[in-house]
PDB file of all heavy atoms in Angstrom:
ATOM      1  N   GLU Y 292     -20.317  14.657  27.081  1.00 95.00           N
ATOM      2  CA  GLU Y 292     -21.071  13.758  27.958  1.00 95.00           C
ATOM      3  C   GLU Y 292     -22.251  13.110  27.238  1.00 95.00           C
ATOM      4  O   GLU Y 292     -22.874  12.192  27.765  1.00 95.00           O
ATOM      5  CB  GLU Y 292     -21.588  14.521  29.191  1.00 95.00           C
ATOM      6  CG  GLU Y 292     -20.496  15.005  30.128  1.00 95.00           C
ATOM      7  CD  GLU Y 292     -19.606  13.878  30.633  1.00 95.00           C
ATOM      8  OE1 GLU Y 292     -20.111  12.758  30.830  1.00 95.00           O
ATOM      9  OE2 GLU Y 292     -18.395  14.127  30.804  1.00 95.00           O
ATOM     10  N   LYS Y 296     -21.263  12.168  20.698  1.00 95.00           N
ATOM     11  CA  LYS Y 296     -20.322  13.236  21.065  1.00 95.00           C
ATOM     12  C   LYS Y 296     -19.853  13.996  19.835  1.00 95.00           C
ATOM     13  O   LYS Y 296     -18.666  14.045  19.539  1.00 95.00           O
ATOM     14  CB  LYS Y 296     -19.108  12.624  21.756  1.00 95.00           C
ATOM     15  CG  LYS Y 296     -19.401  11.898  23.047  1.00 95.00           C
ATOM     16  CD  LYS Y 296     -18.179  11.208  23.613  1.00 95.00           C
ATOM     17  CE  LYS Y 296     -17.695  10.051  22.772  1.00 95.00           C
ATOM     18  NZ  LYS Y 296     -18.589   8.902  22.731  1.00 95.00           N
ATOM     19  N   LYS Y 297     -20.734  14.601  19.102  1.00 95.00           N
ATOM     20  CA  LYS Y 297     -20.344  15.210  17.825  1.00 95.00           C
ATOM     21  C   LYS Y 297     -21.253  16.376  17.486  1.00 95.00           C
ATOM     22  O   LYS Y 297     -22.468  16.261  17.583  1.00 95.00           O
ATOM     23  CB  LYS Y 297     -20.448  14.139  16.736  1.00 95.00           C
ATOM     24  CG  LYS Y 297     -19.743  14.514  15.461  1.00 95.00           C
ATOM     25  CD  LYS Y 297     -19.043  13.327  14.854  1.00 95.00           C
ATOM     26  CE  LYS Y 297     -18.175  13.745  13.702  1.00 95.00           C
ATOM     27  NZ  LYS Y 297     -17.191  12.702  13.399  1.00 95.00           N
ATOM     28  N   THR Y 315       2.135  11.530  21.017  1.00 87.00           N
ATOM     29  CA  THR Y 315       0.874  10.878  20.691  1.00 87.00           C
ATOM     30  C   THR Y 315      -0.290  11.444  21.482  1.00 87.00           C
ATOM     31  O   THR Y 315      -1.377  11.652  20.948  1.00 87.00           O
ATOM     32  CB  THR Y 315       0.979   9.361  20.969  1.00 87.00           C
ATOM     33  OG1 THR Y 315       2.089   8.865  20.234  1.00 87.00           O
ATOM     34  CG2 THR Y 315      -0.267   8.641  20.504  1.00 87.00           C
ATOM     35  N   ARG Y 316      -0.092  11.699  22.785  1.00 91.00           N
ATOM     36  CA  ARG Y 316      -1.197  12.145  23.633  1.00 91.00           C
ATOM     37  C   ARG Y 316      -1.764  13.477  23.166  1.00 91.00           C
ATOM     38  O   ARG Y 316      -2.973  13.622  22.993  1.00 91.00           O
ATOM     39  CB  ARG Y 316      -0.726  12.293  25.082  1.00 91.00           C
ATOM     40  CG  ARG Y 316      -0.329  11.001  25.724  1.00 91.00           C
ATOM     41  CD  ARG Y 316       0.544  11.250  26.933  1.00 91.00           C
ATOM     42  NE  ARG Y 316      -0.133  12.015  27.927  1.00 91.00           N
ATOM     43  CZ  ARG Y 316      -0.622  11.516  29.060  1.00 91.00           C
ATOM     44  NH1 ARG Y 316      -0.470  10.242  29.328  1.00 91.00           N
ATOM     45  NH2 ARG Y 316      -1.246  12.282  29.925  1.00 91.00           N
ATOM     46  N   ARG Y 326     -12.246  16.444  15.292  1.00 97.00           N
ATOM     47  CA  ARG Y 326     -13.209  15.515  14.682  1.00 97.00           C
ATOM     48  C   ARG Y 326     -14.575  15.600  15.330  1.00 97.00           C
ATOM     49  O   ARG Y 326     -15.586  15.414  14.677  1.00 97.00           O
ATOM     50  CB  ARG Y 326     -12.695  14.080  14.808  1.00 97.00           C
ATOM     51  CG  ARG Y 326     -11.514  13.859  13.918  1.00 97.00           C
ATOM     52  CD  ARG Y 326     -11.551  12.460  13.319  1.00 97.00           C
ATOM     53  NE  ARG Y 326     -10.278  12.247  12.666  1.00 97.00           N
ATOM     54  CZ  ARG Y 326      -9.390  11.327  13.011  1.00 97.00           C
ATOM     55  NH1 ARG Y 326      -9.694  10.459  13.967  1.00 97.00           N
ATOM     56  NH2 ARG Y 326      -8.238  11.222  12.396  1.00 97.00           N
ATOM     57  N   ARG Y 327     -14.580  15.849  16.636  1.00 97.00           N
ATOM     58  CA  ARG Y 327     -15.875  15.911  17.318  1.00 97.00           C
ATOM     59  C   ARG Y 327     -16.627  17.189  16.975  1.00 97.00           C
ATOM     60  O   ARG Y 327     -17.797  17.329  17.288  1.00 97.00           O
ATOM     61  CB  ARG Y 327     -15.668  15.738  18.823  1.00 97.00           C
ATOM     62  CG  ARG Y 327     -15.407  14.273  19.133  1.00 97.00           C
ATOM     63  CD  ARG Y 327     -14.942  14.035  20.534  1.00 97.00           C
ATOM     64  NE  ARG Y 327     -14.742  12.608  20.776  1.00 97.00           N
ATOM     65  CZ  ARG Y 327     -14.090  12.112  21.817  1.00 97.00           C
ATOM     66  NH1 ARG Y 327     -13.576  12.930  22.702  1.00 97.00           N
ATOM     67  NH2 ARG Y 327     -13.968  10.820  21.955  1.00 97.00           N
ATOM     68  N   ARG Y 524       5.639   7.121  37.497  1.00 83.00           N
ATOM     69  CA  ARG Y 524       5.118   6.749  38.810  1.00 83.00           C
ATOM     70  C   ARG Y 524       6.256   6.566  39.808  1.00 83.00           C
ATOM     71  O   ARG Y 524       7.286   5.992  39.482  1.00 83.00           O
ATOM     72  CB  ARG Y 524       4.312   5.443  38.709  1.00 83.00           C
ATOM     73  CG  ARG Y 524       2.899   5.692  38.242  1.00 83.00           C
ATOM     74  CD  ARG Y 524       2.151   4.453  37.863  1.00 83.00           C
ATOM     75  NE  ARG Y 524       0.864   4.872  37.320  1.00 83.00           N
ATOM     76  CZ  ARG Y 524      -0.244   4.954  38.051  1.00 83.00           C
ATOM     77  NH1 ARG Y 524      -0.245   4.598  39.315  1.00 83.00           N
ATOM     78  NH2 ARG Y 524      -1.359   5.383  37.495  1.00 83.00           N
TER      79      ARG Y 524
ATOM     80  N   THR V 569     -16.440   6.864  19.519  1.00 97.00           N
ATOM     81  CA  THR V 569     -15.018   6.905  19.202  1.00 97.00           C
ATOM     82  C   THR V 569     -14.393   5.545  19.471  1.00 97.00           C
ATOM     83  O   THR V 569     -14.514   5.006  20.575  1.00 97.00           O
ATOM     84  CB  THR V 569     -14.296   7.977  20.041  1.00 97.00           C
ATOM     85  OG1 THR V 569     -14.929   9.238  19.808  1.00 97.00           O
ATOM     86  CG2 THR V 569     -12.836   8.083  19.644  1.00 97.00           C
ATOM     87  N   ASP V 595     -15.886   7.706  14.825  1.00 96.00           N
ATOM     88  CA  ASP V 595     -14.571   8.323  14.716  1.00 96.00           C
ATOM     89  C   ASP V 595     -13.528   7.306  15.161  1.00 96.00           C
ATOM     90  O   ASP V 595     -13.774   6.532  16.096  1.00 96.00           O
ATOM     91  CB  ASP V 595     -14.486   9.570  15.614  1.00 96.00           C
ATOM     92  CG  ASP V 595     -15.269  10.733  15.026  1.00 96.00           C
ATOM     93  OD1 ASP V 595     -15.190  10.949  13.813  1.00 96.00           O
ATOM     94  OD2 ASP V 595     -15.975  11.417  15.789  1.00 96.00           O
ATOM     95  N   VAL V 596     -12.379   7.318  14.509  1.00 96.00           N
ATOM     96  CA  VAL V 596     -11.321   6.373  14.844  1.00 96.00           C
ATOM     97  C   VAL V 596     -10.059   7.142  15.195  1.00 96.00           C
ATOM     98  O   VAL V 596      -9.686   8.067  14.479  1.00 96.00           O
ATOM     99  CB  VAL V 596     -11.022   5.431  13.647  1.00 96.00           C
ATOM    100  CG1 VAL V 596      -9.922   4.441  13.999  1.00 96.00           C
ATOM    101  CG2 VAL V 596     -12.274   4.691  13.213  1.00 96.00           C
ATOM    102  N   SER V 604       5.689   7.499  20.832  1.00 48.00           N
ATOM    103  CA  SER V 604       4.685   7.863  21.825  1.00 48.00           C
ATOM    104  C   SER V 604       5.271   7.845  23.225  1.00 48.00           C
ATOM    105  O   SER V 604       6.448   7.592  23.436  1.00 48.00           O
ATOM    106  CB  SER V 604       3.535   6.876  21.784  1.00 48.00           C
ATOM    107  OG  SER V 604       3.874   5.747  22.572  1.00 48.00           O
ATOM    108  N   GLU V 610       5.698   5.404  29.934  1.00 59.00           N
ATOM    109  CA  GLU V 610       4.287   5.325  30.315  1.00 59.00           C
ATOM    110  C   GLU V 610       3.856   3.864  30.294  1.00 59.00           C
ATOM    111  O   GLU V 610       4.247   3.105  29.420  1.00 59.00           O
ATOM    112  CB  GLU V 610       3.441   6.135  29.330  1.00 59.00           C
ATOM    113  CG  GLU V 610       2.012   6.285  29.800  1.00 59.00           C
ATOM    114  CD  GLU V 610       1.197   7.142  28.828  1.00 59.00           C
ATOM    115  OE1 GLU V 610       1.390   7.036  27.612  1.00 59.00           O
ATOM    116  OE2 GLU V 610       0.359   7.908  29.306  1.00 59.00           O
ATOM    117  N   MET V 622     -10.289  10.774  27.441  1.00 97.00           N
ATOM    118  CA  MET V 622     -10.667  11.478  26.212  1.00 97.00           C
ATOM    119  C   MET V 622     -11.981  10.950  25.637  1.00 97.00           C
ATOM    120  O   MET V 622     -12.320  11.281  24.509  1.00 97.00           O
ATOM    121  CB  MET V 622      -9.547  11.340  25.178  1.00 97.00           C
ATOM    122  CG  MET V 622      -8.261  12.069  25.547  1.00 97.00           C
ATOM    123  SD  MET V 622      -6.999  11.801  24.245  1.00 97.00           S
ATOM    124  CE  MET V 622      -5.537  12.527  25.037  1.00 97.00           C
ATOM    125  N   ASP V 625     -14.810   5.139  23.351  1.00 96.00           N
ATOM    126  CA  ASP V 625     -15.871   4.193  23.687  1.00 96.00           C
ATOM    127  C   ASP V 625     -15.431   2.744  23.572  1.00 96.00           C
ATOM    128  O   ASP V 625     -15.952   1.876  24.266  1.00 96.00           O
ATOM    129  CB  ASP V 625     -17.075   4.425  22.768  1.00 96.00           C
ATOM    130  CG  ASP V 625     -17.652   5.811  22.932  1.00 96.00           C
ATOM    131  OD1 ASP V 625     -18.262   6.056  23.991  1.00 96.00           O
ATOM    132  OD2 ASP V 625     -17.477   6.659  22.040  1.00 96.00           O
TER     133      ASP V 625
END
Side-chain angles (χ1 to χ4, degrees):
Chain Y
E292 293 303 326
K296 298 175 292 292
K297 195 141 189 162
T315 304
R316 294 161 61 105
R326 290 217 190 117
R327 284 169 179 166
R524 278 168 185 266
Chain V
T569 303
D595 286 318
V596 180
S604 84
E610 190 178 38
M622 293 179 188
D625 298 289

